[in-house]
Amino acid sequence: MSNPVLNFCIRLMKWLPVVFITLIVLWSYYAYVVEMCVFAITSLPQKVVYLVLYHVFFLIFVWSYYQTIFAPVGKPAQEFYLSKADVDRLEHEDREDRQQQYLAQMAKDLPLVTRTIGGSIRYCEPCQLIKPDRCHHCSMCGTCVLKMDHHCPWVNNCVGYSNYKFFVLFLGYGLLYCIYVAGTSVEYFIKFWNKELDDTIGNGRFHILFLFFAAAMFSISLVSLFGYHLYLVFSNRTTLESFRTPMFRHGPDKDGFNLGSSNNLKEVFGEDRRLWFLPVFTSFGDGMSFPTRRTSEDSHQLLNDRQRWAEEGEGDVSDRETALTTVQPPGRSRMHVEAET
């Protein structure tokens, strides 16, 4: 039996990284607004411009960060969960092949294109559900997460379908925030080293010194992380998929969900470009079914059909290809690249 006091302590410890980031951000606010803009800068127009621009970057950055933290984890719909009778039937079956037959029967009407490495239906035993495509179980959150990217301790939340847009914006606006702070404070950092700062600001000089160093260091770390996730967005991959290639019916395919840069971007940020840069949810779809690119499986099927028709001599091959393309016109194969509503 679990210890409630221990569980509470564990939950509390998970919030420490968030508290740490929050304290760093609050300190940076004090150092920039009070110590630098109020006391160190003597020009009033410069103060006004610096403060206005700073608060724009600060507010959009904080908004994105806390959207990432408090966005509910995306969970599979009820139809992916097994009934108690189905779970009992599955657990009491000793033969693995029969278990897979049961799962395949229960998943026949679900929109699934991915499989396990062994080609079986992906099943989560702790959650007792058939996993939707790109869904994974998070041991930290204790649940299956739709389009799971990774569990991030700095937001104490899983990054997935419900908050991936917020996470990317958080990285981008965090980078802009740090670059802006470093760029506008470097002048006073240089004055500190040259001992040209007014002595009346006292210990405020050290706040400005550490403010520049902190902003510069966070900029270096964020630029690589933000660049990596932009690459994932344009490739339509998650962090998990970049390390472990998704398995489809026809085999592993690292670009199986790649719809082209434009469609990949819309899948995360939505169709309305006016909302792309705001931390509001606009991601495409339901997080449980995803359009996939045309795969080599389609080409192989067509080649096999052509060979069979040629061997059987049943009519002209070109006529049959015409009939086939009438059923599945170009751009609308059974695994097409355009997301449909």
Side-chain angles (χ1 to χ4, degrees):
M1 187 173 181
S2 60
N3 189 324
V5 177
L6 179 61
N7 290 337
F8 173 78
C9 292
I10 292 174
R11 289 197 300 270
L12 193 63
M13 291 290 289
K14 290 179 180 179
W15 283 102
L16 289 182
V18 176
V19 173
F20 174 75
I21 293 295
T22 302
L23 291 176
I24 291 291
V25 172
L26 291 176
W27 167 78
S28 71
Y29 184 89
Y30 166 78
Y32 191 92
V33 173
V34 178
E35 296 295 347
M36 195 181 94
C37 290
V38 175
F39 294 134
I41 299 177
T42 56
S43 170
L44 180 60
Q46 187 180 6
K47 285 184 181 183
V48 173
V49 172
Y50 276 23
L51 285 172
V52 169
L53 292 177
Y54 173 81
H55 281 90
V56 171
F57 287 119
F58 177 81
L59 291 175
I60 196 71
F61 162 60
V62 172
W63 185 10
S64 302
Y65 181 51
Y66 287 98
Q67 280 284 75
T68 309
I69 294 172
F70 295 109
V73 172
K75 298 181 181 179
Q78 192 60 40
E79 58 262 31
F80 288 89
Y81 287 83
L82 271 60
S83 65
K84 188 178 184 303
D86 289 332
V87 172
D88 291 339
R89 180 185 179 189
L90 193 65
E91 291 179 348
H92 286 85
E93 179 55 61
D94 296 330
R95 292 175 53 186
E96 185 176 350
D97 59 333
R98 293 295 300 273
Q99 290 179 341
Q100 292 304 319
Q101 290 177 5
Y102 292 155
L103 288 175
Q105 182 179 4
M106 289 181 280
K108 64 180 181 179
D109 296 324
L110 297 176
L112 302 175
V113 296
T114 57
R115 296 291 187 268
T116 65
I117 295 178
S120 306
I121 298 295
R122 299 168 64 241
Y123 175 71
C124 178
E125 188 173 348
C127 295
Q128 298 180 344
L129 61 80
I130 294 172
K131 294 180 183 179
D133 294 333
R134 316 183 84 174
C135 177
H136 298 274
H137 184 85
C138 175
S139 58
M140 297 293 291
C141 296
T143 187
C144 281
V145 180
L146 296 178
K147 197 185 177 184
M148 180 177 172
D149 188 87
H150 68 288
H151 184 92
C152 181
W154 299 107
V155 300
N156 191 29
N157 199 1
C158 258
V159 177
Y161 170 75
S162 64
N163 63 352
Y164 188 61
K165 176 190 174 183
F166 306 149
F167 179 74
V168 174
L169 291 179
F170 155 62
L171 295 178
Y173 288 130
L175 177 60
L176 288 177
Y177 175 77
C178 291
I179 290 175
Y180 176 78
V181 170
T184 53
S185 63
V186 65
E187 173 187 353
Y188 300 92
F189 169 76
I190 295 173
K191 286 183 177 181
F192 172 86
W193 282 109
N194 294 334
K195 298 181 180 180
E196 297 175 1
L197 278 179
D198 192 344
D199 292 336
T200 58
I201 66 174
N203 292 331
R205 294 174 298 175
F206 297 101
H207 283 284
I208 297 173
L209 172 67
F210 289 114
L211 177 67
F212 171 78
F213 272 125
M217 287 188 297
F218 276 108
S219 297
I220 294 172
S221 61
L222 283 173
V223 70
S224 58
L225 190 58
F226 180 57
Y228 175 67
H229 278 278
L230 282 182
Y231 163 75
L232 292 180
V233 168
F234 283 104
S235 303
N236 205 336
R237 296 180 199 166
T238 65
T239 299
L240 291 177
E241 291 167 354
S242 68
F243 288 101
R244 185 172 59 193
T245 302
M247 184 69 64
F248 293 83
R249 293 189 183 96
H250 59 278
D253 187 353
K254 65 179 182 178
D255 293 319
F257 295 107
N258 193 338
L259 312 176
S261 298
S262 177
N263 287 327
N264 293 341
L265 193 65
K266 290 178 182 178
E267 188 171 297
V268 175
F269 289 91
E271 304 244 348
D272 192 346
R273 298 188 179 185
R274 296 170 299 178
L275 301 177
W276 278 7
F277 300 101
L278 292 178
V280 293
F281 184 79
T282 55
S283 298
F284 186 85
D286 57 7
M288 289 171 285
S289 59
F290 298 90
T292 56
R293 70 183 181 94
R294 182 189 292 271
T295 66
S296 58
E297 185 182 52
D298 301 307
S299 302
H300 291 164
Q301 183 62 42
L302 179 58
L303 290 174
N304 290 336
D305 287 341
R306 291 183 62 184
Q307 182 178 3
R308 177 174 55 84
W309 294 333
E311 291 175 352
E312 294 176 354
E314 298 178 0
D316 187 76
V317 173
S318 61
D319 293 338
R320 289 184 176 269
E321 288 183 352
T322 302
L324 180 61
T325 54
T326 303
V327 177
Q328 292 183 327
R332 291 187 56 82
S333 66
R334 61 184 177 82
M335 289 192 291
H336 54 279
V337 300
E338 288 295 331
E340 295 182 332
T341 56

